[in-house]
Amino acid sequence: MALYSNHAGKPRVKTIRNSIIFIALLLFALATIFPIYFMVISSFADPVEAGAVSYSILPSKFTFASFKFFFDYSEYSYRWILNSLIVATTVMVSNVIFASMAGYAFSKLRFKGRGVLFAVLLVSMMIPYQVTQVPLYILVVNVFELQNTYSALIMPGIVTVYNIFLAKQFMSSIPNEIMESAKIEGCSQFTIYWRIILPLSKTVLAVMAILTFMDSWNTFFWPLLVTNTMDMQTIQVGLKNFRFANTTFIAPMMAGATISALPMFILFFSLQKYFLEGVTVGAVKG
């Protein structure tokens, strides 16, 4: 029995089915988009206290006062954005370089213990992120004494197992005959990796870069743990400064959240095809 029936000869049944699917997808889309809509609309409200905020779907007026309030509230507002940009860009570049090198080694090089080592990496993917935070914090803060530095923000994400797995699966689909031909021409392993494998892996490298940048930019918990001064906070952590014991500046916080979300919107709408390819790029049989 087919999973999806065309209901040939039953146009009424087909119409009802399509209508139900359309309504369900529409409701799901509205539920997904509404928080983003509320964030953007609220950012154009007056920068007043929480008790005076009017929670309405349609704004009564548009003003950029909350955006001005966000940048005037703290001298570090611009620094938060700069910190996020430095950390996210560095983590993205390091992941593309190191994950592609590891993926090339696991997919094309033959060495003792390769299968066991790769299996250990895959097992580590099953460990929840929260479980590793305490030992990682002790290692970074107490052992290396890197608290409140860019190194503390960048080092834990310098390369991820997921990106190594993604690169390995994609590079496994590249024919070995290409490498053999390059070896006959006298190319070294690094030359093969740099001049042949990387150009053929542009798709997966782009996907890795986009997903890694998004994940690093949106990270909140780890920067909160390892930073203790406002000048080293990222934009996600900086937004918490608009919340106090009895008062929350909703509109300025939403303005900051909107500014923080802009890079994600730009990435998604300009590089949609890479996101779609990223769904199946790791499904190549290796």
Side-chain angles (χ1 to χ4, degrees):
M1 181 178 178
L3 181 63
Y4 184 85
S5 176
N6 290 324
H7 295 290
K10 299 179 181 179
R12 181 179 178 84
V13 175
K14 185 176 181 179
T15 301
I16 294 175
R17 182 206 62 190
N18 291 343
S19 299
I20 294 174
I21 294 175
F22 175 79
I23 293 174
L25 293 176
L26 180 62
L27 292 175
F28 179 77
L30 291 176
T32 304
I33 295 174
F34 183 76
I36 301 175
Y37 169 81
F38 179 76
M39 176 187 71
V40 175
I41 291 301
S42 300
S43 67
F44 291 101
D46 286 322
V48 293
E49 295 182 2
V53 173
S54 176
Y55 296 100
S56 58
I57 297 179
L58 298 176
S60 57
K61 66 175 182 178
F62 284 92
T63 176
F64 289 95
S66 292
F67 290 90
K68 185 176 184 300
F69 185 95
F70 170 77
F71 288 108
D72 294 341
Y73 173 78
S74 172
E75 59 179 315
Y76 301 110
S77 297
Y78 292 99
R79 181 65 182 268
W80 297 338
I81 300 175
L82 178 62
N83 290 341
S84 290
L85 186 61
I86 292 174
V87 173
T89 303
T90 305
V91 170
M92 176 191 69
V93 173
S94 66
N95 268 269
V96 170
I97 295 174
F98 295 128
S100 63
M101 294 175 68
Y104 171 71
F106 280 118
S107 62
K108 298 302 180 184
L109 302 184
R110 300 292 182 265
F111 56 90
K112 188 176 182 179
R114 183 185 67 161
V116 175
L117 182 58
F118 188 69
V120 171
L121 289 177
L122 293 182
V123 170
S124 68
M125 293 178 63
M126 304 178 188
I127 302 175
Y129 174 75
Q130 294 77 7
V131 173
T132 62
Q133 294 306 289
V134 173
L136 187 60
Y137 177 84
I138 294 174
L139 185 65
V140 171
V141 176
N142 296 345
V143 178
F144 295 116
E145 298 181 352
L146 296 175
Q147 188 175 14
N148 208 48
T149 62
Y150 285 118
S151 298
L153 294 170
I154 294 171
M155 285 183 61
I158 200 167
V159 65
T160 64
V161 178
Y162 175 76
N163 284 332
I164 294 175
F165 172 76
L166 202 64
K168 186 264 182 187
Q169 292 299 99
F170 183 88
M171 293 177 182
S172 295
S173 65
I174 299 177
N176 293 327
E177 288 76 8
I178 298 178
M179 294 181 55
E180 297 299 331
S181 299
K183 289 179 181 178
I184 294 175
E185 295 296 329
C187 295
S188 63
Q189 289 290 355
F190 182 78
T191 303
I192 295 173
Y193 160 77
W194 185 258
R195 295 186 177 274
I196 298 177
I197 300 298
L198 285 188
L200 294 176
S201 304
K202 288 181 179 179
T203 300
V204 72
L205 296 180
V207 173
M208 287 165 50
I210 294 168
L211 297 180
T212 303
F213 185 91
M214 291 180 62
D215 181 67
S216 181
W217 180 274
N218 291 325
T219 299
F220 171 80
F221 187 62
W222 180 251
L224 178 65
L225 286 179
V226 297
T227 56
N228 51 26
T229 59
M230 294 184 66
D231 64 306
M232 286 304 300
Q233 292 177 350
T234 61
I235 180 64
Q236 307 300 339
V237 180
L239 291 177
K240 73 176 178 59
N241 294 305
F242 291 90
R243 182 178 178 86
F244 302 94
N246 301 315
T247 304
T248 300
F249 293 102
I250 295 293
M253 182 183 292
M254 292 298 179
T258 301
I259 295 173
S260 174
L262 283 178
M264 304 301 99
F265 292 150
I266 295 174
L267 277 174
F268 179 79
F269 289 111
S270 61
L271 302 171
Q272 291 184 61
K273 62 178 183 178
Y274 292 115
F275 279 95
L276 296 177
E277 292 176 4
V279 176
T280 56
V281 73
V284 180
K285 182 178 179 181

